[in-house]
Each structure stands twice: as structure tokens, then as C-alpha cells.
């Protein structure tokens, strides 16, 4: 990430940010509540996609199990709520810490492998988390767990208020993006990116490649755990299905669609993917019939995703 | 004791079925370096084709053969239209594109056959139990799956190890550019290998169809299992896939059958009934994680590149 020039991609990113900030105003003026609900979900999943982008785009770690953290963050909120701990000051830190610990274990073991093996082992760990959640019969098992009361922040912010909750999610997204931007441009981030392009060389000049990778992996898992806590509050519900491998696939699609390794790409990817899904499903019940080949065409003809396309356009 | 024999056979049967799926996957993976998530869709299509054709013809064998041909054709068309443009691309691109294909196939099936599952009834001659050792009866159909899968495995071995095509496949696996440079039509070879893999997946699907319901998404869980197998066995190695498939099939089946009772002996009733299903579902993922940690290249890695 160099200093932002006023390229097409920067302009689009700025416009999208502005639109996201003004969305509740539009919703209030037109009385269109649906769009606010939809974009709350989009913003949350954009945060999850952005965290995946940190390890996938900048770190070169193709995790196929990233949805596990969505579930872990969600279950932390759901289980604590069910046990009578309604305060967000307890729920959210627990969600973050448990996600970080899970990422630490998964990362420490998975990072011994590379390439396709890494894709598969992260998938395996996510599937294990999925089966554990399915077996939690005390907390709904397969059917999932209803969160009867959203996280309580002692009157500081009311999560049941649609607009307040939307702005909270948006603040988390912008905060997450800022954090990722800072990480990517720090010495630590440069080492991680160096390891992605040439691991041997980085090892040779004295960096413990895997330690840097692992820390990066844990940070991404923690951010995604936050997205999970938000998601559980948004749907008032958490179920093992959140962690199913196709959900991890969805997150990957958002990242690649938007443009891997570009800071704002995953946000664009999440918006395009989820809006397209919504529009197509209004238009036809068989939306995936169009979405599927569309993904194929994007891979074949639009390398670097939407941000890559914009970048090429602005370069002429 | 009889129960153990029966469950062992079930495990073997499941493992062999998984092998059919994993063999195609590992061939495509090993030779074209192509990650095909849509392999599970071909498995599903095999099952749907079989259910349809058996309904039309009224004959199980004829319908199954037609379904096999149809899946082979579908695989070749798919390779020709879309997938061949993805060889040499990043694995991630391939994952994304074939993920799109899964979405497409699932909805295409929903459009054509409807959202409800189909049943594929067995002919009478396959439903009788067969006495395998005195006192132990085993369903004829499951026995047939074992026999057919073993035959296919043997045939595959012969084709890959003893024929010219097989030699080219092995050569392609070790050095793609070189056999292209030697004047072999590598595109045609790739199409053939992909078609072969598709047919094997279709065969697995249509044989599994009468045991389970034919339904949308049936290919997804089993695809993950097949990936687990080729990772355990070592990518590109058919022998490794064979061993790992049987291993996984037996462990998974035995785990589901006996783990609950075993756990109940060491844990309290409630804890055991919570832990058992999770643990038996997790067993093979656990196995894969252990294998990858101890031997990151898999148990039977293909010859070094």
C-alpha cells in the first residue's frame, strides 16, 4: 500500500465508504428498513472477509476454514447469554480471546504445511469446530442457539436499535480496516509480505518466517471472531451452519471477487457478492444458476478481482 | 463378533467407494495440478443420472451403464468448456471457479429434478442377504459394491501401470512440459484423464445412490472426505489414495458404530452421548491433522517431482 493516489480504485473506495456512512439516512428518509438490515449483515461479513484478506492476500496463507471464527465468536456470545452473562463487556472479550486461542492452535499446527495441504488442514480444523458445535446439545446442537438478548453495554450503546447497531458494525469494519492497513505497512507486515513472496530468502536474512505468519494468522482469526460476535447479535441466533465449509468458501469468494491483497477489495467483494445474491434471488429462485458461472467468468477474465479491474482501467 | 465383521465390511465398502471418488481427484490433482471442488458435483450427477435412467429403462444395470456414460460425457464437456482454461492458474483461482460450479450444479439439479430427493430402488436380485461366513449374512448389494470397486481399482492399476496411455499419464504427472515437448497431445490427454475421473466419481455416486437418498448437496460432504483421503495418501498417488480410502472408510464406520459404547464405559452417560457423535464425526479430520503434522507429504507420497 503506497500513499493513496487518486486512482479509480481509491475513488471507488472513498465513494463506497461515504455511501456506507450515509446509508441509515437514506433508510430513514425512504422508510426502507430492509436495506439497513441487509447492509448490517454485509458490513459484518465484509469485516470477516477483510480479516481473511490479511492472511490470504498479504500473508499468502490460503485458509479454507475462516468461517470457524465467525461461529466461535458467535457461540461465545450465545453461550454466555444463555448462561446469564448478558454484558457485552464480558461477552466480546471472551469471543475475541477464544477466537485468538483457536487461531493459535490451528495456526501452530497448520503452518507446518504449505500450499494445498494448508488449504486442506485449515478446512479440517473448521470442520472439527463444526462437529463440536453440532454436538453441543445443551446449546441447541444442530438446530442452533437463539440469542434472546443482544449484548448489553450498560446503556452506552443499544444494540437493539437498528441504526446504532449498524453504526457499531460500521465502526468495527473501519476500525478493522485501519488496523489491517497499519499492520500491512508496519515492519511486521512487510516481513509477512516478504515471506509470502520468498520464504527462503526471508529465512536466510534471519527472520523466523513461521512466527510472523502465526502472529498474522492469530490477528486475522481474532478480527473474524469480532465479526462473529456481531453476526450473532445481528441474527439473534447462532448455529453450526455458520461454520460449514461452504461459508468459508463464501468468504474466500468475497475476497477474491473484490481483489485479494488490496485493502478495500474484500469490502467491495462482500457488497457485490451479497447484493448480487439478493438481487438474483428476487429475480429468480435459482440465483446460483447465474451466480456460479459468473464466478467462473470472473476468475477467467478478471484477474485481481474488481479492484484489479479498476486499477487496470485507471492505468488505461 | 458378527457385528464387528459386518461393520468391518461396511467400512471396507465405504472405503472402496471413497477410493473411486478419490482416485479421480488425485489423478486430476497429480497430473494437471488442478483442485477440482466440483468433483463432488459429478458424484451427485452420477446418482441423479442413474435414478433417471433406471426409471426410464426399468433395468438397474442398463440404467447404471447409461449414467456412467452420461457422467463421462459431462466431465469431458465441462473440461472442454471451462476447466481447461484454469490449468496453470493459481490453486485459489481453481478453488473459486469450481466453487462456482458447485453452486451452478446444485441449482441446476434443483431446477431439473426438483428440491425433493429421489430414491433409486434396487432390483429384487440385489436385495437378498448373502451368507458370507456361516452365520453372518451381508446384503448382496453392498457385496456387489465391494466387488465392482475392487475390479475397477485393479483395472485402473493395469491401465496406469501397463498401458501406453497409463505410461503417458504417469509421465504427465512427473513432468508435464517434457511430455508436451516430446510431441504428445497433452490437451487430449488431460481431457481423457478428466473424463476418467468424472466417470469414476459418477460410478461412486450411482452405486451409493440406492443406499442413501439421491439429494442436492450429497456430493459436498463426501468431497471433503475424498480430499482428506488424497491428503492422507499423498497427492497424486493412486496407491496412497487406495490405502488411505480403506483406512478412512473403516475408521469412520467403526468409530460411528463402536465409539459411543466405548465412551460410555469411561464417561458418564450424558457426557458420552454428547461427545460420541462429535468425536466420531471428527475422527478422520483428527487423523488427517495428525498425519499432516507428522508427515506433511502424506503417508504414500507420489514419486518426487
Amino acid at each position: 500500500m503506497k500513499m493513496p493516489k487518486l486512482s479509480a480504485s481509491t475513488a471507488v473506495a472513498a465513494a463506497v465508504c461515504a455511501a456506507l456512512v450515509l446509508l441509515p439516512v437514506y433508510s430513514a428518509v425512504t422508510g426502507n428498513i430492509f436495506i439497513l438490515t441487509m447492509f448490517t449483515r454485509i458490513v459484518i461479513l465484509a469485516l470477516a472477509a477483510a480479516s481473511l484478506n490479511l492472511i490470504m492476500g498479504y500473508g499468502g496463507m490460503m485458509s479454507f476454514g475462516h468461517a470457524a471464527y465467525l461461529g466461535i465468536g458467535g457461540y461465545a456470545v450465545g453461550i454466555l447469554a444463555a448462561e446469564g452473562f448478558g454484558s457485552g463487556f464480558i461477552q466480546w472479550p471472551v469471543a475475541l480471546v477464544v477466537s485468538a486461542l483457536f487461531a493459535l492452535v490451528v495456526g501452530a499446527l497448520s503452518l507446518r504445511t504449505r500450499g494445498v495441504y494448508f488449504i486442506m488442514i485449515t478446512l479440517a480444523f473448521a470442520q472439527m469446530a463444526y462437529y463440536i458445535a453440532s454436538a453441543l446439545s445443551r446449546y441447541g446442537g444442530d438446530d442452533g442457539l437463539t440469542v434472546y438478548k443482544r449484548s448489553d453495554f450498560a446503556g452506552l450503546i443499544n444494540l437493539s436499535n437498528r441504526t446504532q447497531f449498524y453504526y457499531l458494525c460500521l465502526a468495527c469494519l473501519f476500525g478493522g480496516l485501519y488496523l489491517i492497513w497499519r499492520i500491512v505497512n508496519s515492519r511486521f507486515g512487510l516481513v509477512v509480505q516478504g515471506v509470502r513472496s520468498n520464504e527462503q530468502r526471508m529465512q536466510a536474512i534471519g527472520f523466523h518466517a513461521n512466527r510472523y505468519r502465526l502472529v498474522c494468522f492469530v490477528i486475522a482469526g481474532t478480527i473474524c471472531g469480532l465479526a462473529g460476535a456481531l453476526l450473532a447479535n445481528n441474527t439473534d441466533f447462532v448455529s453450526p451452519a455458520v461454520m460449514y465449509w461452504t461459508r468459508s468458501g463464501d468468504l474466500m469468494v468475497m475476497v477474491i471477487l473484490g481483489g485479494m491483497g488490496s485493502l478495500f477489495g474484500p469490502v467491495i467483494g462482500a457488497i457485490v457478492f451479497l447484493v448480487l445474491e439478493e438481487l438474483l434471488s428476487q429475480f429468480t429462485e435459482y440465483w446460483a444458476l447465474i451466480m456460479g458461472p459468473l464466478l467462473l467468468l470472473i476468475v477467467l477474465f478478471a484477474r485481481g478481482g474488481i479492484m484489479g479491474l479498476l486499477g487496470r482501467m485507471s492505468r488505461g | 463378533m458378527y457385528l464387528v465383521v459386518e461393520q468391518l465390511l461396511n467400512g471396507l465398502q465405504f472405503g472402496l467407494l471413497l477410493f473411486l471418488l478419490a482416485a479421480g481427484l488425485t489423478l486430476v490433482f497429480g497430473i494437471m495440478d488442478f483442485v477440482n471442488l466440483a468433483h463432488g458435483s459429478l458424484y451427485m450427477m452420477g446418482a441423479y443420472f442413474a435414478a433417471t435412467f433406471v426409471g426410464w429403462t426399468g433395468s438397474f444395470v442398463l440404467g447404471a451403464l447409461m449414467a456412467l456414460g452420461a457422467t463421462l460425457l459431462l466431465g469431458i464437456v465441462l473440461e472442454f468448456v471451462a476447466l481447461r482454461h484454469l490449468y496453470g492458474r493459481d490453486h485459489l483461482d481453481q478453488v473459486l471457479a469450481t466453487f462456482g460450479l458447485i453452486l451452478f450444479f446444485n441449482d441446476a439439479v434443483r431446477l431439473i429434478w426438483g428440491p425433493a430427493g429421489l430414491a433409486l430402488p434396487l432390483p429384487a436380485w440385489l436385495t437378498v442377504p448373502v451368507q458370507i461366513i456361516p452365520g453372518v449374512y451381508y446384503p448382496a448389494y453392498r457385496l456387489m459394491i465391494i466387488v465392482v470397486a475392487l475390479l475397477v481399482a485393479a483395472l485402473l492399476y493395469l491401465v496406469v501401470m501397463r498401458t501406453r496411455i497409463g505410461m503417458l499419464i504417469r509421465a504427465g504427472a512427473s513432468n508435464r512440459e517434457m511430455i508436451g515437448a516430446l510431441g504428445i497431445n497433452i490437451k487430449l490427454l488431460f481431457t481423457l484423464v478428466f473424463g476418467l475421473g468424472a466417470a469414476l466419481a459418477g460410478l461412486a455416486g450411482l452405486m451409493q445412490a440406492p443406499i442413501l437418498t439421491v439429494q442436492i448437496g450429497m456430493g459436498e460432504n463426501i468431497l471433503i472426505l475424498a480430499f482428506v483421503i488424497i491428503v492422507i495418501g499423498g497427492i497424486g498417488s493412486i496407491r496412497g489414495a487406495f490405502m488411505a480410502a480403506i483406512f478412512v472408510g473403516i475408521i469412520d464406520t467403526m468409530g460411528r458404530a463402536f465409539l459411543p459404547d466405548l465412551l460410555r464405559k469411561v464417561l458418564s452417560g450424558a457426557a458420552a452421548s454428547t461427545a460420541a457423535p462429535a468425536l466420531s464425526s471428527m475422527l478422520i479430520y483428527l487423523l488427517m491433522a495428525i498425519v499432516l503434522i507428522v508427515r506433511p507429504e502424506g503417508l504414500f507420497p507420489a514419486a518426487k517431482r
Side-chain angles (χ1 to χ4, degrees):
Chain A
M1 268 273 145
K2 299 193 190 78
M3 278 300 290
K5 293 168 292 188
L6 197 65
S7 60
S9 38
T10 319
V12 168
V16 169
C17 284
L20 284 177
V21 171
L22 293 177
L23 189 88
V25 181
Y26 170 81
S27 165
V29 170
T30 56
N32 187 345
I33 293 167
F34 173 73
I35 196 166
L36 191 60
T37 326
M38 185 171 107
F39 267 86
T40 309
R41 182 163 164 264
I42 290 177
V43 165
I44 295 170
L45 289 176
L47 178 62
S51 73
L52 179 59
N53 184 39
L54 175 63
I55 49 173
M56 214 162 79
Y58 295 108
M61 292 172 269
M62 309 299 169
S63 166
F64 203 162
H66 211 61
Y69 308 104
L70 279 181
I72 290 169
Y75 267 101
V77 169
I79 289 176
L80 284 174
E83 296 296 342
F85 298 98
S87 166
F89 294 116
I90 300 174
Q91 289 177 354
W92 291 34
V94 169
L96 295 186
V97 168
V98 176
S99 303
L101 286 177
F102 185 74
L104 186 67
V105 174
V106 172
L109 296 174
S110 309
L111 283 170
R112 302 165 63 99
T113 61
R114 291 285 175 275
V116 173
Y117 292 101
F118 184 82
I119 298 182
M120 288 302 138
I121 196 168
T122 46
L123 173 64
F125 279 113
Q127 287 292 97
M128 284 191 232
Y130 170 82
Y131 286 119
I132 291 174
S134 308
L136 292 173
S137 46
R138 186 181 158 86
Y139 303 108
D142 264 335
D143 300 328
L145 176 65
T146 304
V147 183
Y148 287 104
K149 201 169 171 305
R150 291 188 175 183
S151 302
D152 174 31
F153 279 96
L156 217 60
I157 180 169
N158 179 8
L159 267 55
S160 301
N161 177 314
R162 261 193 212 93
T163 314
Q164 285 187 28
F165 184 60
Y166 174 81
Y167 276 119
L168 177 68
C169 294
L170 197 60
C172 287
L173 174 63
F174 287 160
L177 286 175
Y178 177 69
L179 183 69
I180 292 170
W181 182 69
R182 286 300 297 263
I183 290 173
V184 167
N185 288 301
S186 67
R187 177 179 175 279
F188 167 81
L190 292 175
V191 173
V192 168
Q193 291 170 75
V195 170
R196 182 197 56 187
S197 2
N198 195 332
E199 185 180 346
Q200 276 175 329
R201 201 169 285 176
M202 293 307 280
Q203 289 272 25
I205 56 176
F207 289 106
H208 278 282
N210 266 359
R211 283 189 203 162
Y212 282 86
R213 274 213 180 97
L214 183 59
V215 172
C216 187
F217 194 84
V218 171
I219 293 172
T222 314
I223 298 176
C224 196
L226 174 64
L230 289 170
L231 196 64
N233 274 299
N234 183 39
T235 44
D236 300 314
F237 179 69
V238 56
S239 79
V242 178
M243 296 195 246
Y244 198 57
W245 72 277
T246 50
R247 304 299 303 169
S248 298
D250 286 346
L251 289 179
M252 280 177 118
V253 167
M254 289 172 201
V255 173
I256 300 167
L257 185 67
M260 207 170 62
S262 96
L263 182 69
F264 208 71
V267 181
I268 305 272
I271 294 174
V272 171
F273 182 77
L274 294 167
V275 168
L276 211 60
E277 183 183 299
E278 184 59 41
L279 288 180
L280 287 177
S281 62
Q282 277 174 10
F283 166 67
T284 163
E285 187 191 341
Y286 304 103
W287 61 272
L289 217 49
I290 303 165
M291 191 66 142
L294 208 59
L295 286 180
L296 190 69
L297 289 177
I298 288 168
V299 171
L300 284 177
F301 299 112
R303 300 180 89 164
I306 296 169
M307 289 311 252
L309 215 59
L310 288 172
R312 278 199 293 279
M313 265 165 53
S314 62
R315 276 194 299 275
Chain B
M1 189 58 218
Y2 292 154
L3 191 63
V4 174
V5 174
E6 197 187 329
Q7 291 299 337
L8 261 178
L9 278 172
N10 279 343
L12 180 68
Q13 175 255 315
F14 186 48
L16 283 168
L17 208 69
L18 286 173
F19 166 69
L20 292 181
L21 205 63
L25 206 57
T26 204
L27 271 179
V28 171
F29 210 166
I31 296 171
M32 285 100 110
D33 198 27
F34 181 68
V35 187
N36 183 17
L37 289 188
H39 204 67
S41 297
L42 292 165
Y43 166 89
M44 173 179 74
M45 293 308 287
Y48 269 95
F49 282 143
T52 311
F53 291 143
V54 169
W56 283 356
T57 58
S59 152
F60 184 78
V61 176
L62 195 63
L65 286 176
M66 283 167 71
L68 202 57
T71 328
L72 175 76
L73 203 66
L74 179 69
I76 289 178
V77 170
L78 195 64
E79 199 270 351
F80 195 78
V81 173
L83 301 184
R84 66 165 40 183
H85 307 291
L86 291 164
Y87 300 151
R89 284 291 193 86
D90 197 50
H91 281 148
L92 206 58
D93 282 353
Q94 299 166 351
V95 165
L96 180 62
T98 49
F99 187 76
L101 285 177
I102 294 181
L103 293 181
F104 173 76
F105 275 114
N106 281 349
D107 255 21
V109 164
R110 203 149 60 91
L111 185 68
I112 299 170
W113 282 282
L118 299 179
L120 177 54
L122 280 175
W125 57 274
L126 277 175
T127 50
V128 284
V130 179
Q131 185 166 335
I132 34 172
I133 46 173
V136 179
Y137 289 86
Y138 198 66
Y141 181 68
R142 282 177 185 263
L143 216 54
M144 193 199 79
I145 293 183
I146 295 179
V147 173
V148 170
L150 280 176
L151 281 178
V152 170
L155 197 69
L156 199 62
Y157 177 81
L158 285 179
V159 168
V160 172
M161 301 308 281
R162 293 279 181 272
T163 64
R164 191 177 154 73
I165 290 276
M167 188 187 72
L168 292 177
I169 291 178
R170 277 178 293 136
S174 56
N175 195 331
R176 252 169 301 164
E177 287 80 16
M178 185 54 83
I179 77 156
L182 289 174
I184 307 300
N185 186 345
I186 190 120
K187 281 194 167 168
L188 184 66
L189 182 69
F190 281 5
T191 310
L192 278 179
V193 171
F194 195 88
L196 178 69
L200 288 174
L203 179 64
L206 72 92
M207 289 209 299
Q208 183 74 305
I211 299 180
L212 304 170
T213 8
V214 182
Q215 59 187 353
I216 295 163
M218 67 185 281
E220 286 160 22
N221 278 324
I222 205 156
L223 168 81
I224 302 283
L225 280 187
F227 266 116
V228 169
I229 285 164
I230 68 172
V231 166
I232 291 179
I235 289 171
S237 158
I238 295 191
R239 192 174 62 108
F242 186 77
M243 309 287 238
I246 291 180
F247 199 47
V248 165
I250 288 177
I251 286 193
D252 189 57
T253 311
M254 299 300 262
R256 280 172 208 281
F258 299 111
L259 210 57
D261 287 339
L262 278 179
L263 276 183
R264 220 157 277 141
K265 286 194 179 125
V266 283
L267 293 173
S268 69
S273 55
T274 309
L279 203 57
S280 45
S281 304
M282 280 167 54
L283 215 51
I284 53 148
Y285 295 105
L286 219 54
L287 181 76
M288 171 167 121
I290 293 168
V291 166
L292 275 183
I293 290 159
V294 180
R295 297 196 53 169
E297 292 287 289
L299 291 180
F300 307 90
K304 287 271 173 291
R305 300 276 162 89

